[in-house]
Coordinates of all heavy atoms in Angstrom, one line a residue:
M933 N -12.3 39.0 6.8 CA -12.0 37.6 6.2 C -10.5 37.3 6.3 O -9.7 38.2 6.2 CB -12.4 37.6 4.8 CG -13.9 37.6 4.5 SD -14.4 35.9 4.2 CE -16.1 36.3 3.9
T934 N -10.3 36.1 6.5 CA -8.9 35.6 6.5 C -8.7 34.6 5.4 O -9.6 33.8 5.0 CB -8.7 34.9 7.9 OG1 -8.9 35.8 8.9 CG2 -7.3 34.3 8.0
T935 N -7.5 34.5 4.8 CA -7.2 33.5 3.8 C -6.6 32.3 4.5 O -5.6 32.4 5.2 CB -6.2 34.1 2.8 OG1 -6.8 35.3 2.2 CG2 -5.9 33.1 1.7
Y936 N -7.1 31.2 4.2 CA -6.6 29.9 4.7 C -6.1 29.0 3.6 O -6.7 29.0 2.5 CB -7.8 29.1 5.4 CG -8.3 29.8 6.6 CD1 -9.3 30.7 6.5 CD2 -7.8 29.4 7.9 CE1 -9.8 31.3 7.7 CE2 -8.3 30.0 9.0 CZ -9.3 31.0 8.9 OH -9.8 31.6 10.1
V937 N -5.1 28.3 3.9 CA -4.6 27.2 3.0 C -5.1 25.9 3.6 O -4.7 25.6 4.7 CB -3.1 27.2 2.7 CG1 -2.7 26.1 1.9 CG2 -2.7 28.6 2.1
I938 N -5.9 25.2 2.8 CA -6.5 23.9 3.3 C -5.9 22.8 2.5 O -5.9 22.8 1.3 CB -8.0 24.0 3.2 CG1 -8.6 25.2 3.8 CG2 -8.7 22.7 3.7 CD1 -8.5 25.3 5.3
S939 N -5.6 21.7 3.2 CA -5.1 20.5 2.6 C -6.2 19.4 2.7 O -6.7 19.2 3.8 CB -3.8 20.0 3.2 OG -2.8 20.9 2.9
I940 N -6.4 18.7 1.6 CA -7.4 17.6 1.6 C -6.8 16.4 1.0 O -6.4 16.4 -0.2 CB -8.7 18.0 0.8 CG1 -9.2 19.4 1.3 CG2 -9.7 17.0 0.9 CD1 -10.2 20.0 0.3
P941 N -6.7 15.3 1.8 CA -6.1 14.1 1.2 C -7.2 13.3 0.5 O -8.4 13.5 0.8 CB -5.6 13.3 2.5 CG -6.6 13.8 3.6 CD -6.9 15.2 3.2
G942 N -6.8 12.4 -0.3 CA -7.8 11.5 -1.0 C -7.0 10.4 -1.6 O -5.8 10.3 -1.6
T943 N -7.8 9.5 -2.2 CA -7.2 8.3 -2.9 C -8.0 8.1 -4.2 O -9.2 8.0 -4.2 CB -7.4 7.1 -2.0 OG1 -6.8 7.3 -0.8 CG2 -6.7 5.9 -2.7
F944 N -7.2 7.9 -5.3 CA -7.8 7.5 -6.6 C -7.9 6.0 -6.5 O -6.9 5.3 -6.4 CB -6.9 7.9 -7.7 CG -6.9 9.4 -8.0 CD1 -5.7 10.0 -8.1 CD2 -8.0 10.1 -8.2 CE1 -5.6 11.4 -8.3 CE2 -8.0 11.5 -8.4 CZ -6.8 12.1 -8.5
L945 N -9.2 5.5 -6.5 CA -9.4 4.1 -6.4 C -9.4 3.4 -7.8 O -9.6 2.2 -7.9 CB -10.7 3.8 -5.7 CG -10.7 4.3 -4.2 CD1 -12.0 4.0 -3.5 CD2 -9.5 3.7 -3.4
R946 N -9.3 4.1 -8.8 CA -9.1 3.6 -10.2 C -8.1 4.4 -10.9 O -7.7 5.5 -10.5 CB -10.5 3.6 -10.9 CG -11.0 4.9 -11.3 CD -12.2 4.9 -12.2 NE -12.8 6.1 -12.5 CZ -12.5 6.9 -13.5 NH1 -11.6 6.6 -14.3 NH2 -13.2 8.1 -13.7
D947 N -7.6 3.9 -12.0 CA -6.7 4.6 -12.8 C -7.3 5.9 -13.4 O -8.4 5.8 -13.9 CB -6.1 3.7 -14.0 CG -5.0 4.3 -14.7 OD1 -4.1 4.9 -14.0 OD2 -4.9 4.2 -15.9
V948 N -6.7 7.0 -13.2 CA -7.2 8.3 -13.7 C -6.4 8.7 -14.9 O -5.2 9.0 -14.7 CB -7.2 9.3 -12.5 CG1 -7.7 10.7 -13.0 CG2 -8.0 8.8 -11.3
P949 N -7.1 8.9 -16.0 CA -6.3 9.3 -17.2 C -5.8 10.7 -17.0 O -6.3 11.5 -16.3 CB -7.4 9.3 -18.3 CG -8.6 8.8 -17.7 CD -8.5 8.6 -16.3
D950 N -4.7 11.0 -17.8 CA -4.1 12.4 -17.7 C -5.1 13.5 -18.0 O -5.1 14.5 -17.4 CB -3.0 12.4 -18.7 CG -1.8 11.6 -18.3 OD1 -1.7 11.3 -17.1 OD2 -0.9 11.3 -19.1
E951 N -6.1 13.2 -18.9 CA -7.1 14.2 -19.3 C -7.9 14.6 -18.0 O -8.3 15.7 -17.8 CB -8.0 13.8 -20.4 CG -7.3 13.4 -21.7 CD -6.8 12.0 -21.7 OE1 -7.4 11.0 -21.1 OE2 -5.7 11.8 -22.2
A952 N -8.3 13.6 -17.2 CA -9.1 13.8 -16.0 C -8.2 14.6 -15.0 O -8.8 15.5 -14.3 CB -9.6 12.5 -15.4
R953 N -7.0 14.3 -14.8 CA -6.1 15.1 -13.9 C -6.0 16.5 -14.4 O -6.0 17.4 -13.6 CB -4.7 14.4 -13.8 CG -4.7 13.1 -13.0 CD -3.3 12.6 -12.8 NE -3.4 11.2 -12.4 CZ -2.3 10.6 -11.9 NH1 -1.2 11.2 -11.8 NH2 -2.4 9.4 -11.5
T954 N -5.8 16.7 -15.7 CA -5.7 18.0 -16.2 C -7.0 18.8 -16.0 O -6.9 20.0 -15.6 CB -5.4 18.0 -17.7 OG1 -4.1 17.3 -17.9 CG2 -5.3 19.4 -18.3
A955 N -8.1 18.2 -16.2 CA -9.4 18.8 -15.9 C -9.6 19.2 -14.4 O -10.1 20.2 -14.1 CB -10.6 17.9 -16.4
L956 N -9.1 18.3 -13.6 CA -9.2 18.5 -12.1 C -8.4 19.7 -11.7 O -8.9 20.6 -11.0 CB -8.7 17.2 -11.4 CG -8.7 17.4 -9.9 CD1 -10.0 17.7 -9.3 CD2 -8.1 16.1 -9.3
V957 N -7.2 19.8 -12.2 CA -6.4 21.0 -11.9 C -7.0 22.2 -12.4 O -7.0 23.3 -11.8 CB -4.9 20.8 -12.4 CG1 -4.1 22.1 -12.3 CG2 -4.3 19.6 -11.6
R958 N -7.5 22.2 -13.6 CA -8.2 23.4 -14.2 C -9.3 23.8 -13.4 O -9.5 25.0 -13.2 CB -8.6 23.0 -15.7 CG -9.2 24.2 -16.4 CD -9.6 23.9 -17.8 NE -10.6 22.9 -18.0 CZ -10.4 21.7 -18.4 NH1 -9.2 21.3 -18.9 NH2 -11.3 20.8 -18.5
H959 N -10.1 22.9 -12.9 CA -11.3 23.3 -12.0 C -10.8 23.8 -10.6 O -11.6 24.6 -10.0 CB -12.3 22.1 -11.9 CG -13.0 21.8 -13.2 ND1 -13.9 22.7 -13.8 CD2 -12.9 20.7 -14.0 CE1 -14.3 22.1 -14.9 NE2 -13.7 20.9 -15.0
L960 N -9.7 23.3 -10.2 CA -9.2 23.8 -8.9 C -8.4 25.1 -9.0 O -8.2 25.8 -8.0 CB -8.2 22.7 -8.3 CG -8.9 21.4 -7.9 CD1 -7.8 20.4 -7.5 CD2 -9.8 21.6 -6.7
R961 N -7.9 25.5 -10.2 CA -7.0 26.6 -10.4 C -7.5 27.9 -9.7 O -6.6 28.6 -9.1 CB -6.8 26.8 -11.9 CG -5.8 27.9 -12.2 CD -4.4 27.6 -11.8 NE -3.9 26.3 -12.3 CZ -2.9 25.6 -11.8 NH1 -2.4 25.9 -10.6 NH2 -2.6 24.4 -12.3
P962 N -8.7 28.3 -9.7 CA -9.1 29.6 -9.0 C -8.7 29.6 -7.5 O -8.6 30.6 -6.9 CB -10.6 29.7 -9.2 CG -10.9 28.9 -10.4 CD -9.9 27.7 -10.4
A963 N -8.6 28.4 -6.9 CA -8.2 28.4 -5.5 C -6.8 27.9 -5.2 O -6.4 27.4 -4.2 CB -9.2 27.4 -4.8
D964 N -5.9 28.2 -6.2 CA -4.5 27.8 -6.1 C -3.8 28.5 -5.0 O -3.8 29.7 -4.9 CB -3.8 28.1 -7.4 CG -2.5 27.5 -7.6 OD1 -1.9 27.1 -6.6 OD2 -2.0 27.4 -8.7
P965 N -3.2 27.8 -4.1 CA -2.5 28.4 -2.9 C -1.2 29.1 -3.3 O -0.7 29.9 -2.5 CB -2.2 27.2 -2.0 CG -2.1 26.1 -2.9 CD -3.1 26.3 -4.0
Q966 N -0.8 29.0 -4.6 CA 0.4 29.7 -5.0 C 0.2 31.2 -5.0 O 1.1 32.0 -5.0 CB 0.9 29.3 -6.4 CG 1.5 27.9 -6.5 CD 2.9 27.9 -5.8 OE1 3.5 29.0 -5.6 NE2 3.4 26.8 -5.5
H967 N -1.1 31.7 -4.9 CA -1.4 33.1 -4.9 C -1.1 33.7 -3.5 O -1.2 34.9 -3.4 CB -2.9 33.3 -5.3 CG -3.2 32.8 -6.7 ND1 -2.6 33.4 -7.8 CD2 -4.0 31.8 -7.1 CE1 -3.0 32.7 -8.9 NE2 -3.9 31.8 -8.5
T968 N -0.9 32.9 -2.5 CA -0.6 33.5 -1.2 C 0.9 33.4 -0.9 O 1.6 32.6 -1.5 CB -1.3 32.6 0.0 OG1 -0.8 31.3 0.0 CG2 -2.8 32.6 -0.3
S969 N 1.3 34.3 0.0 CA 2.8 34.3 0.3 C 3.2 33.0 0.9 O 4.3 32.5 0.7 CB 3.1 35.5 1.2 OG 2.4 35.4 2.4
L970 N 2.3 32.4 1.7 CA 2.6 31.1 2.3 C 2.7 30.0 1.2 O 3.7 29.2 1.3 CB 1.5 30.7 3.3 CG 1.7 29.3 4.0 CD1 2.9 29.3 4.9 CD2 0.4 28.9 4.7
G971 N 1.8 30.0 0.3 CA 1.8 29.0 -0.8 C 3.1 29.1 -1.6 O 3.7 28.1 -2.0
Q972 N 3.5 30.4 -1.9 CA 4.7 30.6 -2.7 C 5.9 30.1 -1.9 O 6.8 29.5 -2.5 CB 4.8 32.1 -3.1 CG 3.8 32.5 -4.0 CD 3.7 34.0 -4.2 OE1 4.4 34.7 -3.5 NE2 2.9 34.4 -5.2
S973 N 6.0 30.5 -0.6 CA 7.2 30.2 0.1 C 7.3 28.7 0.4 O 8.4 28.1 0.5 CB 7.3 30.9 1.5 OG 6.3 30.5 2.3
E974 N 6.2 28.0 0.5 CA 6.2 26.6 0.8 C 6.2 25.8 -0.5 O 6.2 24.5 -0.5 CB 5.0 26.2 1.6 CG 5.0 26.7 3.0 CD 6.2 26.3 3.8 OE1 6.5 25.1 3.7 OE2 6.7 27.1 4.6
D975 N 6.1 26.5 -1.7 CA 6.0 25.8 -3.0 C 5.0 24.7 -3.1 O 5.2 23.6 -3.5 CB 7.4 25.2 -3.4 CG 7.5 24.9 -4.8 OD1 6.8 25.6 -5.6 OD2 8.3 24.0 -5.2
L976 N 3.8 25.1 -2.6 CA 2.6 24.2 -2.6 C 2.0 24.0 -4.0 O 1.7 25.0 -4.7 CB 1.5 24.7 -1.7 CG 1.8 24.7 -0.2 CD1 0.7 25.4 0.6 CD2 2.1 23.3 0.3
D977 N 1.9 22.8 -4.4 CA 1.2 22.5 -5.6 C -0.3 22.3 -5.3 O -0.6 21.8 -4.3 CB 1.7 21.2 -6.3 CG 3.1 21.4 -6.8 OD1 3.4 22.5 -7.3 OD2 3.9 20.4 -6.8
I978 N -1.1 22.6 -6.2 CA -2.6 22.5 -6.0 C -3.0 21.0 -5.9 O -3.9 20.7 -5.2 CB -3.3 23.3 -7.1 CG1 -4.8 23.5 -6.6 CG2 -3.3 22.6 -8.4 CD1 -5.5 24.6 -7.4
L979 N -2.3 20.2 -6.7 CA -2.6 18.7 -6.6 C -1.2 18.0 -6.6 O -0.4 18.2 -7.5 CB -3.4 18.3 -7.9 CG -3.7 16.8 -8.0 CD1 -4.6 16.3 -6.9 CD2 -4.3 16.6 -9.4
T980 N -1.1 17.1 -5.7 CA 0.0 16.2 -5.6 C -0.5 14.8 -5.6 O -1.3 14.4 -4.8 CB 0.8 16.4 -4.3 OG1 1.2 17.8 -4.2 CG2 2.1 15.6 -4.2
V981 N 0.0 14.0 -6.5 CA -0.4 12.6 -6.7 C 0.8 11.7 -6.4 O 1.8 11.9 -7.0 CB -1.0 12.3 -8.1 CG1 -1.5 10.9 -8.2 CG2 -2.2 13.3 -8.3
N982 N 0.6 10.7 -5.6 CA 1.7 9.7 -5.3 C 1.5 8.5 -6.1 O 0.4 8.2 -6.7 CB 1.6 9.4 -3.8 CG 1.8 10.6 -2.9 OD1 2.7 11.3 -3.1 ND2 0.9 10.8 -2.0
D983 N 2.5 7.7 -6.2 CA 2.5 6.4 -7.0 C 1.4 5.4 -6.6 O 1.0 4.7 -7.4 CB 3.9 5.7 -7.0 CG 5.0 6.5 -7.7 OD1 4.6 7.4 -8.6 OD2 6.2 6.3 -7.4
N984 N 1.1 5.5 -5.3 CA 0.1 4.5 -4.8 C -1.4 5.0 -5.0 O -2.3 4.3 -4.5 CB 0.4 4.1 -3.4 CG 0.2 5.3 -2.4 OD1 0.0 6.5 -2.9 ND2 0.4 5.1 -1.2
G985 N -1.6 6.1 -5.7 CA -2.9 6.6 -5.9 C -3.4 7.6 -4.9 O -4.5 8.2 -5.1
T986 N -2.7 7.8 -3.8 CA -3.1 8.8 -2.8 C -2.8 10.2 -3.4 O -1.9 10.3 -4.2 CB -2.4 8.6 -1.5 OG1 -1.0 8.7 -1.6 CG2 -2.8 7.3 -0.9
F987 N -3.5 11.2 -3.0 CA -3.3 12.5 -3.5 C -3.6 13.5 -2.4 O -4.3 13.2 -1.4 CB -4.1 12.8 -4.7 CG -5.6 12.8 -4.5 CD1 -6.3 13.9 -4.2 CD2 -6.3 11.6 -4.8 CE1 -7.7 13.9 -4.0 CE2 -7.7 11.6 -4.6 CZ -8.4 12.7 -4.2
S988 N -3.1 14.7 -2.6 CA -3.4 15.8 -1.7 C -3.8 17.0 -2.6 O -3.1 17.3 -3.6 CB -2.2 16.2 -0.9 OG -1.9 15.2 0.0
I989 N -4.8 17.7 -2.2 CA -5.3 18.9 -2.8 C -5.0 20.0 -1.8 O -5.4 19.9 -0.6 CB -6.8 18.8 -3.2 CG1 -7.0 17.8 -4.2 CG2 -7.3 20.2 -3.7 CD1 -8.5 17.5 -4.5
H990 N -4.4 21.1 -2.3 CA -4.1 22.3 -1.4 C -4.8 23.4 -2.0 O -4.6 23.8 -3.2 CB -2.6 22.5 -1.4 CG -1.8 21.4 -1.0 ND1 -1.7 21.0 0.4 CD2 -1.1 20.5 -1.7 CE1 -0.9 19.9 0.4 NE2 -0.6 19.6 -0.8
L991 N -5.7 24.0 -1.3 CA -6.6 25.1 -1.8 C -6.5 26.4 -0.9 O -6.3 26.3 0.3 CB -8.0 24.7 -1.8 CG -8.4 23.5 -2.7 CD1 -9.8 23.1 -2.5 CD2 -8.0 23.8 -4.1
E992 N -6.6 27.5 -1.5 CA -6.7 28.8 -0.8 C -8.2 29.2 -0.8 O -8.8 29.2 -1.8 CB -5.9 29.8 -1.5 CG -6.1 31.2 -1.0 CD -5.5 32.3 -2.0 OE1 -4.5 32.0 -2.7 OE2 -6.1 33.3 -2.1
V993 N -8.7 29.5 0.4 CA -10.1 30.0 0.6 C -10.1 31.1 1.5 O -9.3 31.2 2.5 CB -11.0 28.9 1.0 CG1 -11.2 27.8 0.0 CG2 -10.6 28.3 2.3
D994 N -11.0 32.0 1.3 CA -11.3 33.2 2.2 C -12.5 32.8 3.0 O -13.5 32.5 2.5 CB -11.5 34.5 1.5 CG -10.2 34.9 0.7 OD1 -9.2 34.8 1.3 OD2 -10.4 35.4 -0.4
A995 N -12.4 32.9 4.4 CA -13.5 32.6 5.2 C -13.3 33.4 6.5 O -12.3 33.9 6.9 CB -13.6 31.1 5.5
D996 N -14.4 33.4 7.3 CA -14.4 34.0 8.6 C -13.7 33.2 9.7 O -13.2 33.7 10.6 CB -15.8 34.3 9.1 CG -16.5 35.4 8.2 OD1 -15.8 36.3 7.8 OD2 -17.7 35.3 8.0
D997 N -13.7 31.9 9.5 CA -13.1 31.0 10.5 C -12.6 29.7 9.8 O -13.0 29.4 8.7 CB -14.1 30.7 11.7 CG -15.4 30.1 11.2 OD1 -15.3 29.1 10.5 OD2 -16.4 30.6 11.6
S998 N -11.8 28.9 10.6 CA -11.2 27.7 10.0 C -12.3 26.7 9.6 O -12.1 26.0 8.6 CB -10.2 27.2 10.9 OG -10.7 26.8 12.1
R999 N -13.3 26.6 10.4 CA -14.4 25.6 10.1 C -15.0 25.9 8.8 O -15.2 25.0 8.0 CB -15.4 25.5 11.3 CG -16.5 24.6 11.0 CD -17.5 24.6 12.1 NE -17.3 23.3 12.7 CZ -17.7 23.0 13.9 NH1 -18.4 23.9 14.6 NH2 -17.5 21.8 14.5
S1000 N -15.4 27.1 8.6 CA -16.0 27.5 7.3 C -15.0 27.3 6.2 O -15.4 26.9 5.1 CB -16.4 29.0 7.4 OG -17.4 29.2 8.4
A1001 N -13.7 27.6 6.4 CA -12.7 27.5 5.3 C -12.6 26.0 4.9 O -12.5 25.7 3.8 CB -11.4 28.0 5.8
E1002 N -12.6 25.1 5.9 CA -12.5 23.7 5.6 C -13.7 23.2 4.9 O -13.5 22.4 3.9 CB -12.3 22.9 6.9 CG -10.9 23.1 7.5 CD -10.7 22.3 8.8 OE1 -10.5 21.1 8.6 OE2 -10.6 22.9 9.8
A1003 N -14.9 23.6 5.3 CA -16.1 23.2 4.6 C -16.1 23.7 3.1 O -16.5 23.0 2.2 CB -17.3 23.7 5.3
Q1004 N -15.7 25.0 3.0 CA -15.7 25.5 1.6 C -14.7 24.8 0.7 O -15.0 24.5 -0.4 CB -15.4 27.0 1.7 CG -15.3 27.8 0.4 CD -15.0 29.2 0.6 OE1 -15.0 29.8 1.6 NE2 -14.6 29.8 -0.5
A1005 N -13.5 24.5 1.3 CA -12.5 23.9 0.5 C -12.9 22.5 0.1 O -12.7 22.0 -1.1 CB -11.2 23.8 1.3
K1006 N -13.6 21.7 1.0 CA -14.1 20.4 0.6 C -15.1 20.5 -0.5 O -15.1 19.6 -1.4 CB -14.6 19.7 1.9 CG -14.8 18.2 1.7 CD -14.3 17.5 2.9 CE -14.2 16.0 2.7 NZ -13.8 15.3 3.9
E1007 N -16.0 21.5 -0.4 CA -17.0 21.6 -1.5 C -16.3 21.9 -2.8 O -16.7 21.4 -3.9 CB -17.9 22.8 -1.1 CG -18.9 22.5 0.0 CD -19.7 23.7 0.4 OE1 -19.8 24.6 -0.4 OE2 -20.3 23.7 1.5
V1008 N -15.3 22.8 -2.8 CA -14.6 23.1 -4.1 C -13.9 21.9 -4.6 O -14.0 21.6 -5.8 CB -13.6 24.2 -3.8 CG1 -12.6 24.4 -5.0 CG2 -14.3 25.6 -3.5
A1009 N -13.3 21.1 -3.7 CA -12.6 19.9 -4.2 C -13.5 18.9 -4.7 O -13.3 18.3 -5.8 CB -11.7 19.3 -3.0
A1010 N -14.6 18.6 -4.0 CA -15.6 17.7 -4.5 C -16.2 18.1 -5.8 O -16.4 17.2 -6.7 CB -16.7 17.5 -3.4
A1011 N -16.5 19.4 -6.0 CA -17.1 19.8 -7.3 C -16.1 19.7 -8.4 O -16.4 19.3 -9.5 CB -17.5 21.3 -7.1
A1012 N -14.8 20.0 -8.1 CA -13.8 19.8 -9.2 C -13.6 18.4 -9.6 O -13.5 18.1 -10.8 CB -12.4 20.4 -8.7
L1013 N -13.6 17.5 -8.6 CA -13.6 16.0 -8.9 C -14.8 15.6 -9.8 O -14.6 14.9 -10.8 CB -13.5 15.2 -7.7 CG -12.2 15.2 -6.9 CD1 -12.4 14.7 -5.5 CD2 -11.1 14.4 -7.6
R1014 N -16.0 16.1 -9.4 CA -17.2 15.7 -10.3 C -17.0 16.3 -11.7 O -17.3 15.6 -12.6 CB -18.4 16.3 -9.6 CG -18.9 15.5 -8.5 CD -20.4 15.9 -8.0 NE -20.4 17.3 -7.7 CZ -20.1 17.9 -6.5 NH1 -19.7 17.1 -5.5 NH2 -20.3 19.2 -6.3
N1015 N -16.6 17.5 -11.8 CA -16.4 18.2 -13.1 C -15.4 17.5 -13.9 O -15.4 17.6 -15.2 CB -16.1 19.7 -12.9 CG -17.3 20.5 -12.4 OD1 -18.5 20.1 -12.7 ND2 -17.1 21.5 -11.7
A1016 N -14.4 16.8 -13.3 CA -13.4 16.1 -14.0 C -13.8 14.7 -14.3 O -13.1 13.9 -14.9 CB -12.1 16.1 -13.2
G1017 N -15.1 14.3 -14.0 CA -15.6 13.0 -14.3 C -15.3 12.0 -13.3 O -15.5 10.8 -13.6
L1018 N -15.0 12.4 -12.1 CA -14.7 11.4 -11.0 C -15.7 11.5 -9.9 O -16.1 12.5 -9.4 CB -13.3 11.7 -10.4 CG -12.1 11.7 -11.4 CD1 -10.9 12.4 -10.8 CD2 -11.8 10.3 -11.7
T1019 N -16.2 10.3 -9.6 CA -17.3 10.2 -8.5 C -16.6 10.1 -7.1 O -15.4 9.9 -7.0 CB -18.2 9.0 -8.7 OG1 -17.4 7.8 -8.5 CG2 -18.8 9.0 -10.1
E1020 N -17.4 10.2 -6.1 CA -16.9 10.0 -4.7 C -16.3 8.6 -4.6 O -15.4 8.4 -3.8 CB -18.0 10.3 -3.7 CG -17.5 10.3 -2.3 CD -18.6 10.7 -1.3 OE1 -19.4 11.7 -1.6 OE2 -18.7 10.1 -0.3
K1021 N -16.9 7.7 -5.3 CA -16.4 6.3 -5.2 C -15.1 6.1 -5.9 O -14.3 5.3 -5.6 CB -17.4 5.3 -5.8 CG -18.7 5.2 -5.0 CD -19.7 4.2 -5.6 CE -20.9 4.1 -4.7 NZ -21.8 3.1 -5.2
D1022 N -14.8 6.9 -7.0 CA -13.6 6.9 -7.7 C -12.4 7.6 -6.9 O -11.3 7.1 -7.0 CB -13.7 7.7 -9.0 CG -14.6 7.0 -10.0 OD1 -14.8 5.8 -10.0 OD2 -15.2 7.8 -10.8
A1023 N -12.8 8.6 -6.1 CA -11.7 9.4 -5.5 C -12.3 10.0 -4.1 O -12.6 11.1 -4.0 CB -11.3 10.5 -6.4
P1024 N -12.4 9.1 -3.1 CA -12.9 9.6 -1.8 C -11.9 10.6 -1.2 O -10.7 10.4 -1.3 CB -13.1 8.3 -1.0 CG -12.2 7.3 -1.6 CD -12.1 7.7 -3.1
L1025 N -12.5 11.6 -0.5 CA -11.7 12.6 0.2 C -11.6 12.2 1.6 O -12.6 11.7 2.2 CB -12.3 14.0 0.0 CG -12.4 14.5 -1.5 CD1 -13.1 15.8 -1.5 CD2 -11.0 14.6 -2.1
G1026 N -10.5 12.6 2.2 CA -10.3 12.4 3.7 C -10.6 13.7 4.4 O -11.1 14.7 3.8
P1027 N -10.2 13.7 5.7 CA -10.5 14.9 6.5 C -9.6 16.1 6.1 O -8.4 15.9 5.8 CB -10.2 14.5 7.9 CG -9.3 13.3 7.8 CD -9.6 12.7 6.5
T1028 N -10.2 17.3 6.1 CA -9.5 18.5 5.8 C -8.6 18.9 6.9 O -8.8 18.6 8.1 CB -10.4 19.6 5.4 OG1 -11.3 19.9 6.6 CG2 -11.3 19.3 4.2
A1029 N -7.6 19.7 6.6 CA -6.7 20.3 7.6 C -6.3 21.7 7.2 O -5.9 21.9 6.0 CB -5.5 19.4 7.8
V1030 N -6.3 22.6 8.1 CA -5.7 24.0 7.9 C -4.2 23.8 7.9 O -3.6 23.4 8.9 CB -6.2 25.0 8.9 CG1 -5.5 26.3 8.7 CG2 -7.7 25.1 8.9
T1031 N -3.5 24.2 6.8 CA -2.1 24.1 6.8 C -1.4 25.4 6.7 O -0.2 25.5 6.7 CB -1.6 23.2 5.6 OG1 -2.2 23.7 4.4 CG2 -2.0 21.8 5.8
G1032 N -2.2 26.5 6.7 CA -1.7 27.8 6.7 C -2.7 28.9 6.8 O -3.9 28.7 6.4
I1033 N -2.4 30.0 7.4 CA -3.3 31.2 7.5 C -2.5 32.4 7.1 O -1.4 32.6 7.5 CB -3.7 31.3 9.0 CG1 -4.5 30.1 9.4 CG2 -4.6 32.6 9.1 CD1 -4.9 30.1 10.9
D1034 N -3.1 33.2 6.2 CA -2.5 34.4 5.6 C -3.5 35.5 5.9 O -4.5 35.6 5.3 CB -2.3 34.2 4.1 CG -1.4 35.3 3.5 OD1 -0.8 36.1 4.3 OD2 -1.3 35.3 2.3
T1035 N -3.1 36.3 6.9 CA -4.0 37.5 7.3 C -3.6 38.7 6.7 O -2.5 38.9 6.2 CB -4.1 37.6 8.8 OG1 -2.8 37.8 9.3 CG2 -4.7 36.4 9.4

């Protein structure tokens, strides 16, 4: 298995209360890229939110290949958004991208 750091862009289409953002980060925390040497050296935050409502989620996943890693990361992100009370219509996700590999 290889550890991948996956970035997933998205957009909050409605105002998201601080409690929902806190819940989102809490649900994402087990996949925090800060646990990898790449995540530490690049100072990657698990969730970055811009003033215009766009955001990026950065996750660490272990997988056999990049395609599996991207699919797993998207599932984790979608589940965390749901658990934080956000629907796909509230915060659609964009295409995933491998932004680091830690072997």
